[in-house]
Amino acid sequence: MKDRTVILTTLNEAWATPNSVIDLFLESFRIGDRTSTFLNHLVIIALDQKAFARCQVIHTHCFSLVSEEADFHEEAYFMTPRYLMMMWKRIDFLRTVLEMGYNFVFTDADIMWFRDPFPQFDLHADFQIACDHFTGGFDDVQNRPNGGFNYVKSNNRSIEFYKFWYSSRETYPGYHDQDVLNFIKVHPFITDIGLKMRFLDTTNFGGLCEPSRDLNQVCTMHANCCLGMDSKLHDLRIMLQDWKHYLSLPPSLKRLSVVSWRVPQKSLNLSCTLIQQKRVLKNKIFIA
């Protein structure tokens, strides 16, 4: 964009197959409220050769980040070694984007874009991130951030923060980037470098963990709190159907908020609930 902001997502073969996650992701931009132009600024970062080949068929801007040290083409199941390596590779890559002088919105491909998110961002914040649970305070460290969606400005503060975040994987081995962020968000280093961190309201940036109930205000919806490709695809398709139904309503009914999401359906289950409880427990232990 004119201010050197780029939209980034990552893709592997598992999410790149026809009629899979990446197709739903791109469809959301096309049917969203004035979001189709953002496709001109979206770069898909392919983590394997087949994902890169598919990207070149379906999108204009593709970047190959194929790793010689790991194979990311298969579905990376939550918290497996492959999953952890993929998440940390993403954090390290995003640091290099900042070092090149680009601001970015990073978005997981299982996030549907329905409205322009930029009016919701704080112009003075360095690092802004969506939440699994939003407490109501934009600067409340008790918020539970989700690394699948963030807006970051390129400056010395954000670059040092990403270096610190990446190096902290060694302090907390076996944890993924999101849990480590929960640990370090209250670290004195954040204050020392002057980083302004802001948590995004789930009213605008919702997900299956905590859906945005008002379709008049939603910008994005994330298929978080969801294990397994089949469950994720099922609920993402329902999400797009709900949005299309909302768009078909006359303005008077839209204002009354008569439509709400029919999700989660398959996604939210006991396993996902336990994951969230585990994150909360870790967070409380660290802060205490």
Side-chain angles (χ1 to χ4, degrees), residues 227 266-277:
L227 297 180
K266 287 191 174 183
S267 292
L268 201 61
N269 54 36
L270 178 59
S271 298
C272 296
T273 302
L274 290 174
I275 289 169
Q276 293 306 314
Q277 290 175 345

Side-chain angles (χ1 to χ4, degrees), residues 15 75-80 83 110 176 208-209 222-235 264-276 279:
W15 283 24
E75 182 178 1
Y77 292 100
F78 187 74
M79 293 306 292
T80 59
Y83 175 89
D110 62 345
H176 65 70
L208 300 181
C209 294
H222 189 183
N224 51 9
C225 287
C226 188
L227 297 180
M229 181 71 77
D230 290 342
S231 296
K232 191 179 290 287
L233 288 173
H234 177 274
D235 278 13
Q265 290 186 8
K266 287 191 174 183
S267 292
L268 201 61
N269 54 36
L270 178 59
S271 298
C272 296
T273 302
L274 290 174
I275 289 169
Q276 293 306 314
R279 285 179 181 161

Side-chain angles (χ1 to χ4, degrees), residues 32 38 189 242 247:
F38 288 129
F189 181 79
D242 290 345
L247 291 179

